Amino acid sequence: MVGNVSDAPAPAETSSVVRLQEHIIEIVSDSGEGAQKAGQAYGAISAKMGNGVWTVEIIPAEIKPPARSRAGASGIRVRVGAREITNMGDEADLVLALNEQVLYGRIEQGAYKPGTVVLLESKWAHDGLAEVREAYAKAVAEFRALGLDVRELPLEQACLEVTPDPRVGKNMFVLGMLCRLCNRDMQRARDEVSFMFKRKGDEVVARNVALVEAGYEFAKHNLDMEFEIPPAPRDHQVVVMNGNQAAGLGIMASGMEMVAMYPITPATSVSHYLAGAFQKVGGCVHQAEDEIAAVGFAIGASYAGKTACTITSGPGLALKTEFLALAVMAEVPLVVVLVQRGGPSTGLPTKVEQGDLLAVLYGQPGDAPKIVLAASTIEECFHMMVTARKLAEAFRTPVIVLTDANLATGVQPFRRPEVHAEWMAAPLDQSPWDPEITAYDWNETTGLSPRPIPGQRGGQYVLTGLAHTRFAKVAYDPHANQTGCDMRSRKLAALASTLKPPQVNGEPEGELLVVGWGSTRGAIEEAVDRVRADGHQVSSLHLRFLSPMEPGLAEIFARFEKVMTIEINYSDAADAPLVGTSGQRRLAQLATLLRAQTLVDIDSWSNVFGQPLQPGPIHDEIVRRLQHGGDACSA
Amino acid sequence: MFGLKSDPSTELPERYFSLEDYEGGVARWCPGCGDLGVLTAVQRICRAEQLPPEKVVCVSGIGCSSRFPHYVGTYGFHGLHGRPLPVACGIKSRRPDLTVWVATGDGDCCSIGAGHWIHALRYNMDMVVMLFDNSVYGLTKKQTSPTTPQGMSTNTHPSGAWLPPLDPLTAMLGMTNVSFLAQTVDWNPAHLHATLAAAYRHKGLGFVRILQRCPTYSAGVFEDLQRDPSRLLMLTGPRGIQVEPAIANMFPNKREHDPSDLGTARAICEAHDPVPIGLLFQDESRPCYDAFTNHGLGMPTADKVAALEKELDRFTV
């Protein structure tokens, strides 16, 4: 292996191709160097070749963090496999870094392992500033001491042969290198780059294609490695997008015509996407003056018969609380997309957490039952929007769809949806209303009632957030409030009665059942599969309905010796100071709910590092639990 | 037939609406409450315009005056404290066919809902907003509101309100994209009716501040204005609020005002005394947000499906 080619060009054309089942690359750089664009192109090329792909962005908190700063790492990870890839995986195999400082943060986050190949821009070794040269030399030594296989490469110098300004082209050069190293189809790469720069004209396209080709040649002549990741068999068309784009498309597919929002990370990009696309299906994005107005505006449109959607994240949810309760109380259909981030308060705006579950369920004063779903894949971010709109109207209630920062920015290919006209909302019903039917003509069993829409002659009623009767009149007797609460609660029971028990991943009985929800599904199932391959009787269960819950959970749990949840939210470590002896251990959120629901002694493992869960640590924790008899342990 | 172009009898409307059609529940406001007069005025305008009751939505927040929708026989939305305007805008966003009346109070609009107040004026969506300003919180029993006169004793400021009151008129004349601003008083039904009718006819957001008596908690606030009409300044002119001469004669203090003259409107409001009534400002050329939010209304499902398929093509590999 060649350790350093910056000074000694190595003839490396004779490398043999190594066949892999999967491979993880990262491109890390300062913000603005185009690492994400290159990674997305690499992911798209791989998806087109038939590989499974999961792409996740590495995003600094600031828009323009200082150059060469540890916290300023911006980039992308792309996991490519010979089968479907459902999560970001564990440590990266290959890293392309445009400076050495940005690697520190990634190393701290455990993104790399001994043997990870780091292809590092070497120009810093010759920088005009002595402190830069020293920092670079020190870092390279430290990385090597950690076991990283650092290869120093004069990337910028090589780019200069093709372009006068390598600052705006190095990313495409890097893409070309990856295409060579990972045996990507160069024609697809040229097509992808042409597509990306189409709008900027032929000259820009030609220059970027030349950069990709130069990168390819550079890797061919300077690096003695080449991988091949065979494609996964696929007999259907796929689409490639992130979870926020999928949610936006799902909103369009649901026939909703109004999205009211206020900018908040990491939810905003749904509206960025819709701002360009929504008009094509006759829809409109309203950027409201604040989070409260956004949900109020959506409720207004819904009340008027055009079921609308609002999109937010944790702090926005907190502000929307009162209106959400009004929608529950007055039975207004509404879809809320909640892209969770780290909390509480402003928390970790760009990072992942599943910390809003209990807030969504119980965040309103009084009893406010509502439907809560959680998407576990990018594909579900699409389809759940269609489901949510239908449920909201059928059950005359808000439906909250939980996603998170991991799904929002993760990119994955999935089966192209076959759009059905029935997905779309029916045209506005303006037929006369039967005056014999009251505004809340509750079915005593299901709590369901038909809803008059303004414009329907004879259906006039006054919606109110005050306790009200089935005539929508302000209630002055105590029974009316009890009845109203009963009816709204019964709607959840009615929905639950239509659901099927969830499918267990693995055998239906065993030593341990791992229960999860939301974006952790891919990582949990991959970890459980590995533990099973080790010979343990472990299965997993993933919940899509969190309110109401799918039926049969207690029966499923009873067939396992132990049940635990794995989540990305806070829980006390069992051995934390005072926790173990006080009887006050606070469990993760789903575990808390499931214990109340099923009376099963369910444990949890969770953390709030703000990172997507990876299969490796989950695997290790499961094994540890099995070995230690399942005692609750720290995250 | 008979050589007539059309039979005039066929031009009779299919339905004729009387005041009863706009009546809701029995109003539970205090005897002598100024809200009752506003309710009557709105019902009469609906009748005069022959608005089908099912095509009208009264939207309100929380407070005494926000009970308004319950007493009207149309659709109604009695929502959250301070938040009628986002709801009203949401309704209009995809239902331009509905007539929207918003009832809001000085606490609802100028205090807890102040953020929405500014932005709804800027959105300028086609609706009438009635600010029932009685200078006090009534439903929660006499707390200081943003428009409570300095020195007036309330349950939260028993020794008198500390600060000078917020002036909604001067505030609104400084807000971008305001298109209709008028002031009236509840104790002159003719002027009240004429002002609300003008706001209804206005294309865009017609904002009317109604000085409204609360006999229970702020009985004295408008007493001077009632006793001495010369304390009021009636704005007149061909583009202003038109009332019968007998009504106009009740106000000795008059001034001709061109409602396109923003500078003069500001000067009149900033003087505070006399208190202006009539149309302060109107500009129908100001952009309405409805024009943007109504985009694509009525697109056939088949077209939506086709457009969505095309959009999915962009993501297909």
Side-chain angles (χ1 to χ4, degrees):
Chain A
M1 290 255 186
V2 178
N4 189 332
V5 297
S6 61
D7 301 318
E13 282 183 66
T14 54
S15 66
S16 57
V17 178
V18 179
R19 208 174 160 87
L20 299 171
Q21 283 307 296
E22 66 155 86
H23 187 251
I24 301 174
I25 66 111
E26 282 193 5
I27 309 171
V28 273
S29 68
D30 285 333
S31 200
E33 292 192 289
Q36 287 157 359
K37 204 164 197 175
Q40 281 156 1
Y42 172 74
I45 295 161
S46 299
K48 285 178 180 171
M49 291 175 68
N51 287 112
V53 179
W54 184 276
T55 304
V56 59
E57 290 177 0
I58 301 157
I59 307 168
E62 294 86 9
I63 304 297
K64 287 273 175 202
R68 290 174 49 78
S69 68
R70 293 187 181 196
S74 174
I76 193 160
R77 161 181 284 221
V78 188
R79 185 182 181 198
V80 173
R83 57 184 171 82
E84 190 194 357
I85 299 293
T86 61
N87 64 84
M88 67 185 275
D90 295 316
E91 298 91 349
D93 299 295
L94 176 68
V95 183
L96 268 149
L98 299 189
N99 76 62
E100 79 291 349
Q101 292 300 313
V102 290
L103 290 171
Y104 279 106
R106 300 299 299 152
I107 289 167
E108 200 175 301
Q109 285 174 9
Y112 312 137
K113 62 190 171 192
T116 295
V117 175
V118 178
L119 308 181
L120 178 61
E121 166 65 78
S122 62
K123 72 167 182 172
W124 311 106
H126 317 291
D127 195 85
L129 290 171
E131 60 190 58
V132 170
R133 294 195 300 272
E134 283 158 21
Y136 176 82
K138 181 165 170 279
V140 170
E142 283 173 8
F143 298 160
R144 288 199 171 123
L146 290 169
L148 300 183
D149 181 359
V150 181
R151 319 283 184 93
E152 298 171 78
L153 300 166
L155 302 180
E156 187 162 305
Q157 192 188 317
C159 285
L160 276 169
E161 291 171 19
V162 191
T163 178
D165 185 4
R167 281 176 306 174
V168 292
K170 214 193 272 183
N171 61 337
M172 290 297 112
F173 187 85
V174 163
L175 174 63
M177 290 173 67
L178 285 171
C179 286
R180 161 68 188 180
L181 297 174
C182 301
N183 241 301
R184 303 290 88 181
D185 181 339
M186 270 305 274
Q187 191 48 49
R188 286 188 195 275
R190 287 185 204 100
D191 293 347
E192 188 67 26
V193 172
S194 305
F195 179 75
M196 277 163 62
F197 293 101
K198 191 171 62 184
R199 282 188 194 167
K200 296 193 174 175
D202 293 345
E203 197 186 320
V204 177
V205 168
R207 186 167 69 239
N208 281 285
V209 168
L211 277 158
V212 172
E213 284 170 345
Y216 186 94
E217 290 302 318
F218 178 84
K220 187 173 165 186
H221 294 294
N222 291 295
L223 290 163
D224 59 341
M225 54 183 134
E226 200 180 344
F227 312 106
E228 189 185 345
I229 309 120
R234 187 193 286 155
D235 58 358
H236 54 264
Q237 273 195 317
V238 294
V239 286
V240 179
M241 65 184 75
N242 67 37
N244 277 0
Q245 289 167 325
L249 278 160
I251 288 167
M252 290 158 68
S254 77
M256 286 189 282
E257 295 173 356
M258 174 55 67
V259 166
M261 49 70 69
Y262 183 80
I264 187 166
T265 304
T268 319
S269 67
V270 183
S271 41
H272 290 180
Y273 169 64
L274 283 175
F278 210 9
Q279 290 204 352
K280 299 174 190 170
V281 295
C284 174
V285 177
H286 169 57
Q287 183 182 328
E289 64 268 25
D290 60 38
E291 292 278 1
I292 297 172
V295 65
F297 196 98
I299 287 172
S302 289
Y303 163 79
K306 295 284 190 177
T307 301
C309 178
T310 186
I311 302 168
T312 192
S313 191
L317 173 77
L319 289 164
K320 293 182 196 297
T321 296
E322 195 186 10
F323 256 127
L324 270 181
L326 174 73
V328 172
M329 177 63 138
E331 305 195 45
V332 183
L334 174 73
V335 176
V336 182
V337 180
L338 178 59
V339 186
Q340 299 167 96
R341 65 192 222 185
S345 189
T346 310
L348 300 168
T350 60
K351 308 290 186 196
V352 61
E353 191 173 311
Q354 301 176 312
D356 299 346
L357 177 57
L358 294 180
V360 158
L361 289 170
Y362 302 122
Q364 295 77 36
D367 188 52
K370 62 192 85 63
I371 298 171
V372 180
L373 313 176
S376 67
T377 62
I378 288 165
E379 186 174 13
E380 282 181 5
C381 291
F382 176 90
H383 290 286
M384 267 190 186
M385 302 314 302
V386 178
T387 309
R389 201 269 306 156
K390 289 196 170 184
L391 289 175
E393 289 180 2
F395 288 85
R396 205 177 170 178
T397 190
V399 177
I400 297 176
V401 179
L402 296 165
T403 75
D404 61 35
N406 186 28
L407 291 171
T409 57
V411 175
Q412 187 189 28
F414 62 88
R415 179 187 282 270
R416 177 177 167 141
E418 287 169 33
V419 181
H420 298 285
E422 307 86 72
W423 288 357
M424 304 261 175
L428 196 63
D429 183 3
Q430 294 287 274
S431 61
W433 184 262
D434 178 355
E436 294 299 308
I437 299 173
T438 63
Y440 296 96
D441 190 23
W442 293 307
N443 177 304
E444 293 282 339
T445 307
T446 63
L448 297 174
S449 57
R451 183 172 65 109
I453 305 290
Q456 285 192 288
R457 179 177 172 179
Q460 292 97 296
Y461 75 107
V462 180
L463 176 148
T464 177
L466 284 163
H468 48 267
T469 66
R470 51 178 68 234
F471 298 95
K473 297 296 176 204
V474 178
Y476 293 101
D477 73 282
H479 295 289
N481 191 45
Q482 180 72 39
T483 302
C485 284
D486 283 342
M487 293 302 118
R488 294 188 293 272
S489 187
R490 277 175 205 175
K491 292 193 289 186
L492 289 192
L495 172 55
S497 72
T498 69
L499 302 177
K500 292 183 192 136
Q503 283 284 312
V504 173
N505 168 52
E507 297 300 320
E509 56 191 29
E511 297 167 74
L512 175 68
L513 179 71
V514 175
V515 187
W517 64 284
S519 72
T520 53
R521 178 170 156 203
I524 289 176
E525 291 186 353
E526 188 172 329
V528 164
D529 289 349
R530 280 193 218 167
V531 183
R532 293 183 74 82
D534 296 348
H536 297 289
Q537 290 176 299
V538 177
S539 299
S540 66
L541 187 70
H542 220 74
L543 302 184
R544 289 184 180 81
F545 278 81
L546 295 160
S547 171
M549 289 209 187
E550 288 141 293
L553 296 180
E555 293 77 5
I556 293 170
F557 296 168
R559 293 195 287 268
F560 290 86
E561 288 166 38
K562 300 248 169 233
V563 181
M564 68 182 290
T565 69
I566 291 184
E567 307 176 53
I568 312 178
N569 52 46
Y570 183 76
S571 62
D572 286 329
D575 54 359
L578 300 179
V579 167
T581 52
S582 66
Q584 294 291 322
R585 179 171 173 232
R586 296 168 65 238
L587 291 164
Q589 298 194 7
L590 179 63
T592 305
L593 277 180
L594 288 175
R595 288 167 76 97
Q597 179 106 353
T598 64
L599 290 180
V600 174
D601 185 9
I602 295 165
D603 202 347
S604 62
W605 181 68
S606 70
N607 65 53
V608 286
F609 298 127
Q611 299 299 316
L613 288 185
Q614 295 172 285
I618 297 175
H619 167 274
D620 297 349
E621 180 62 23
I622 292 172
V623 169
R624 213 169 60 80
R625 298 258 174 152
L626 292 168
Q627 285 168 352
H628 292 84
D631 284 346
C633 295
S634 63
Chain B
M1 65 179 72
F2 307 119
L4 292 173
K5 210 169 181 189
S6 65
D7 179 353
S9 67
T10 61
E11 285 175 14
L12 278 177
E14 187 193 333
R15 299 159 76 194
Y16 176 78
F17 304 107
S18 65
L19 272 185
E20 275 177 17
D21 291 306
Y22 305 104
E23 281 171 10
V26 177
R28 286 168 173 252
W29 288 310
C30 301
C33 175
D35 294 352
L36 291 152
V38 184
L39 175 64
T40 304
V42 171
Q43 287 166 332
R44 285 179 180 217
I45 292 166
C46 288
R47 181 187 58 178
E49 300 290 336
Q50 284 295 295
L51 301 175
E54 69 271 15
K55 289 288 208 178
V56 178
V57 187
C58 296
V59 183
S60 66
I62 295 292
C64 287
S65 56
S66 286
R67 288 297 181 105
F68 188 92
H70 290 283
Y71 311 140
V72 188
T74 63
Y75 279 91
F77 192 113
H78 177 210
L80 299 182
H81 193 29
R83 324 274 175 222
L85 289 168
V87 171
C89 292
I91 291 169
K92 283 300 285 192
S93 74
R94 300 301 281 180
R95 291 298 305 273
D97 57 314
L98 299 174
T99 297
V100 172
W101 298 86
V102 177
T104 181
D106 40 311
D108 202 58
C109 180
C110 307
S111 194
I112 190 169
H116 308 311
W117 176 34
I118 296 173
H119 290 279
L121 285 165
R122 192 165 69 102
Y123 299 148
N124 190 31
M125 297 175 84
D126 193 21
M127 61 180 73
V128 181
V129 179
M130 302 175 288
L131 169 59
F132 293 67
D133 191 347
N134 61 1
S135 306
V136 76
Y137 283 81
L139 196 63
T140 49
K141 302 186 196 301
K142 203 178 190 182
Q143 293 81 27
T144 310
S145 98
T147 59
T148 299
Q150 191 171 20
M152 181 179 130
S153 171
T154 68
N155 283 323
T156 42
H157 296 97
S159 61
W162 294 341
L163 294 173
L166 182 152
D167 179 356
L169 298 181
T170 53
M172 283 187 278
L173 288 171
M175 289 179 193
T176 306
N177 216 37
V178 167
S179 73
F180 181 104
L181 181 58
Q183 177 154 282
T184 184
V185 295
D186 80 64
W187 56 88
N188 189 309
H191 193 270
L192 172 69
H193 182 281
T195 308
L196 290 176
Y200 167 78
R201 286 192 299 268
H202 171 73
K203 181 186 145 291
L205 191 148
F207 194 102
V208 181
R209 182 192 186 206
I210 304 163
L211 302 182
Q212 175 244 316
R213 297 160 299 168
C214 171
T216 308
Y217 296 120
S218 61
V221 170
F222 302 123
E223 231 170 53
D224 288 355
L225 302 185
Q226 275 181 271
R227 210 180 307 137
D228 177 8
S230 72
R231 292 276 317 279
L232 294 167
L233 176 65
M234 180 184 233
L235 304 179
T236 60
R239 294 187 53 208
I241 304 298
Q242 306 301 323
V243 291
E244 296 294 316
I247 302 296
N249 288 340
M250 295 165 77
F251 302 96
N253 205 354
K254 293 195 192 61
R255 171 174 180 163
E256 180 151 343
H257 174 61
D258 172 6
S260 67
D261 183 351
L262 182 61
T264 304
R266 282 186 180 143
I268 290 169
C269 293
E270 276 162 8
H272 290 127
D273 195 7
V275 174
I277 61 168
L279 181 57
L280 286 152
F281 181 72
Q282 183 173 21
D283 180 0
E284 281 198 311
S285 72
R286 301 217 158 171
C288 297
Y289 195 63
D290 326 36
F292 302 95
T293 62
N294 289 341
H295 166 88
L297 273 180
M299 181 183 281
T301 302
D303 291 2
K304 291 186 181 185
V305 171
L308 184 59
E309 291 285 8
K310 218 170 152 191
E311 193 61 19
L312 281 167
D313 288 345
R314 292 181 51 208
F315 294 92
T316 303
V317 300

